[in-house]
Amino acid sequence: MFTGIIQAVGQVAALERRGGDVRLRIGGLPLADGQLGESIAVSGVCLTAVAFTDDGFVADVSGETLACTTLGGWLVGERVNLERALALGERLGGHIVSGHVDGVGEVVARRADARSQRFTLRAPAALARYIAAKGSITLDGVSLTVNAVEGPQFEVNIVPHTLTHTSLDAWQPGRRVNIEVDVLARYLERLMGRDAGGVDLDLLAEHGFVNR
C-alpha cells in the first residue's frame, strides 16, 4: 500500500530482457534498511525488490505488467517516481494507492496556470467513469486531485513543488502515463452492482427513476 507521495526521482540504470519479461535495475533510492521481497512503487507500478545495489534495487517485471503499463516502452535513463510502501504510523499525505495500474492514459495538453502547470489527459474509455471532479487519481505514481472532467478527458493542476520533486515536469502532449483510479470508486461500483444486490442505472431505469 502506498500514498502517492513521491520520495525520490530515480532512473532506470539497467534493463535486461529475459524471454518475454524484463529485469530492471533502478537507481536513485538508497535502501540501507531494504528487505528482500518488499514492495516499491516505480512510477505507480508496484514492483518487488529481488536484490539491492548501493543506490537502488533490482526488480523483475512480468509480461502482464509490460503489456498493461508504460514499462514496456522504458529505456535505460528513464526518470521514474519512487515510493516505498506505507509503514504503520506514517502520515497518509496523499490517498490510498495500491500500485496496481488500471490503464495507460495520454497527456493531451499542457499550459501555464500562474506558477503551476495545468495538464489535460485522456483516460481509456473503460476508466472514465471512475474519474470525478475533486476526486483522487494516481498518475505515474503521484497522488493528484482531479480539477475537471469531460468524457474521457480530465484536468490536473501541478504545483511547483510537485513539478520539482517528481518526473511530471517532463510531461508533454503525447506522453503516455500510468493511471490508477481511486480504489474506493472501484469497490463502490462492485458493491452497488446488481449482482451484489445493489443499485445500478439499469435497475433505476426499469423502475422509471431515470431515462435511458
Side-chain angles (χ1 to χ4, degrees), residues 180-196:
E180 180 183 335
V181 299
D182 190 349
V183 64
L184 297 179
R186 290 201 304 254
Y187 281 115
L188 181 61
E189 180 186 55
R190 178 67 175 175
L191 289 170
M192 292 293 289
R194 183 176 298 187
D195 60 348

Side-chain angles (χ1 to χ4, degrees), residues 11-194:
Q11 65 285 322
V12 176
L15 186 153
E16 180 185 353
R17 302 193 182 277
R18 294 186 168 191
D21 58 26
V22 166
R23 171 159 287 197
L24 291 177
R25 178 162 60 86
I26 304 294
L29 184 66
L31 297 167
D33 60 341
Q35 301 289 322
L36 288 178
E38 77 168 85
S39 296
I40 301 171
V42 182
S43 287
V45 183
C46 179
L47 298 180
T48 300
V50 299
F52 294 98
T53 63
D54 291 341
D55 70 338
F57 65 98
V58 176
D60 290 320
V61 183
S62 70
E64 174 74 9
T65 300
L66 293 172
C68 296
T69 70
T70 62
L71 271 68
W74 286 2
L75 301 173
V76 172
E78 180 84 22
R79 296 175 73 239
V80 292
N81 297 316
L82 301 173
E83 181 190 357
R84 298 182 73 180
L86 179 68
L88 290 177
E90 290 185 358
R91 291 183 178 88
L92 186 61
H95 71 284
I96 298 173
V97 176
S98 69
H100 302 157
V101 172
D102 294 299
V104 176
E106 181 181 350
V107 176
V108 175
R110 171 179 181 163
R111 64 180 174 85
D113 187 352
R115 294 186 303 115
S116 300
Q117 293 286 314
R118 186 175 290 262
F119 292 91
T120 302
L121 298 99
R122 182 184 299 109
L127 296 183
R129 64 180 181 271
Y130 300 111
I131 303 173
K134 303 309 177 186
S136 296
I137 194 166
T138 308
L139 302 177
D140 277 354
V142 183
S143 173
L144 297 169
T145 299
V146 178
N147 287 75
V149 180
E150 184 174 350
Q153 294 194 169
F154 63 97
E155 292 185 354
V156 293
N157 193 74
I158 312 298
V159 298
H161 177 87
T162 303
L163 289 171
T164 301
H165 291 86
T166 71
S167 66
L168 275 57
D169 194 32
W171 281 5
Q172 296 295 336
R175 169 89 179 202
R176 299 171 73 245
V177 301
N178 293 317
I179 297 178
E180 180 183 335
V181 299
D182 190 349
V183 64
L184 297 179
R186 290 201 304 254
Y187 281 115
L188 181 61
E189 180 186 55
R190 178 67 175 175
L191 289 170
M192 292 293 289
R194 183 176 298 187

